[in-house]
Amino acid sequence: MKYSKIMLGAALIGATASTIFAQETLRSLAEERGRYVGAILNSEWFNNAIESQFEEIHKTQFNAVVAENEMKFDATEPNKGQFSYAKGDKMVTYAKANKMRVRGHALAWHSQVPGWVNNIRDKKQLLDVLKNHIDNVVGHWKGEVAEWDVVNEAINDDNNHGWRSNGSVWFQTIGAEFLDSAFVWAHAADPDAELCYNDYAIEWGLGQGSKAGFVVDQVKRWKQNNIPITCVGTQTHIEISHETTPQNVRALAKALAEHDVVLNITELDVGFPQGSAGSLGASDYAKQGHLYRQFMDVFLEEPNMGEFMIWGVTDAHSWLDGQQGKTQGLIYDKQYKAKPAYDSLIASLKAHPASEVKSPYKSAVTPPDSSATTDSTTTDSTATDSTVTDSSTVTPGDTSSVAPGDTSSVAPGDTSSVTPPPVTPGDSGVGIRHEAIASMELRMNLVGRTLSVAGAADAKVQVFDMRGRPVFSSVASKGSVDLSGLSNGLYVVRVRDGARSLERRVALR
Ligand code: XIL
C-alpha cells in the first residue's frame, strides 16, 4: 500500500526516486540527535576557485561550518585598525541561507598573525591590540558566530607542558594573562557565544605530563576564577596508525564534563603517510573508516560533546598534502566520491538512536527536514565493534616515554607495544587483541639518543613530531638507529617490521 502510494506520487510529479526519498545525510542524522557535524569551507571556496560539487555536498551533509583561514587575525585585521570582514561575511551569509552553525576560528593564535602585531614588544600596547581586535571581530559577528576559538594552540610541545613561548608574540610580550584576558573580552563582546580553548595533540591521552592533562588543569583554574570558557576543541589531526586516539578523546570528554565544559572535535582528519598514496587499497580505507567511526561513536556517547568538525571535505583540497606530509585524510576522495569513512559515520549515527543521544544544545539544532526517510540501506564496510584497546605500554623505569594516549599503569616486564593489524570487515576487536598479545616480540628501547630495536632484522624506524609530521626515517640494520640529529622535544617513534609495528612517544633531551 505504502509502496503503491509512493509510486503514484512519483508518477504524478514526474520525479525520480531520489527526490521522493530525501536521502539520509550526516546532517539529517546529526540534527535528529541534537548534534552538529561540520566541515571547513576551504580557502578555494572563498575565492570561487572550487568545483561546484563542493558546495552541494557541503550544504547537504553538514550543519556546521568554519573558515579554513578567513577569520584568522591576519585575514580580519591585516593592518592596524583596518578590519576586513568580506570573506567571513560570505561564510555567515552562506551559513544562514543553509541553516548552519558557525564556528569562529581563531582570535588569539601565535600563527597567521600579521607582521605589525608580531613586532609589538610593549605589553600594554599589545593588550590594547588584542582587546581591540576581539571587540571588533566578535562584535561584528555578534549573534552570528555561535562559538569562538578564543585561544588556539597556546601550549608548548615540551615534555613538561607549559604555555608556548617560542614564536608566540602573545606569550612573549604579555605573558600567560593574555589567555584569561582574551576570554573575558570575547565574553563581553558577545555574551551568548560559546568560547573554546582549541589545540592539537590533546587526543594523546591524559597521562602524566600530557598536554591534555595540562588543558584540564587550566580549565579547572579558569572555572575557579570565573574565566568564561565553555568548551575545549580537540583538533584531532591524526594519522592512520593512531588507534588509541578515539578512546583518549572519550577520556578527555569525561574529564571536562566534571568541569561542565563541552568538548568538540574541531579539525578532524585521518591521514596516511604521503609516500603511501600510490599503494592504498580497500583495507586501508576500511581502517580509516573504522577510526572515523570510533570518533563518531565516542562523540555520540559522551553527553558533553557537541560538534564533530572535519578539516576539509574532499582529498582534492586538504592542507595535509602540502603542509603535513600526509594524504587522503578526508571522507570524500579527489573525485568527490564518498569513501568508506563516510559510510562509517552514517552507520555510527544510525547505531545511536536519537532517543539515546544527549546534546549540550539540543534545542538549538535545526529540526531535521521532515521529509527525510529512515532508509536503512547504508552499510558500513568498516564497522567492527570498538573493543580494540590501547595495546601500548610504558617502559618500566623510563618516566620520560609515554606511549601515545596511555593513561594506564605500567605493565611490569612488558617493554613493547604492538599495533593491531589493519582492521578488515568482519574482524572482531577481541580477535585483534589476541593477535596483538600473541605477537609481542618486536621491541624498542631508547638510551640517550640511541634507539635499539629487538625482534626484527631490518626494522624501519620512523619518527614523527607532535603534529604527526615525519622528521626521521631509517632502517635499523644493525639493531639500532642514531637519533642525535633531532632536536630536543617530544616525538612519536614507530618501528615497523612487515605487518608488525609498534609506536611509542619519547622525549629527547
Ligand atoms: C591551516 C590551513 O588549513 C592552511 O590552509 C593554512 O595555510 C595553515 O593553517 N590548526 C589550526 C588551523 O588551528 O587553523 C590550521 O589550518 C591547521 C592546524
Side-chain angles (χ1 to χ4, degrees), residues 68-69 72 105 109 112 152-153 235 267 311 319 323:
E68 180 169 28
N69 290 300
K72 293 174 181 174
H105 173 80
W109 185 26
Q112 295 184 265
N152 192 31
E153 302 186 351
Q235 293 184 4
E267 304 184 15
W311 205 247
W319 79 309
Q323 296 178 37

Side-chain angles (χ1 to χ4, degrees), residues 33 317 445:
R33 286 154 183 77
H317 301 283
N445 193 34

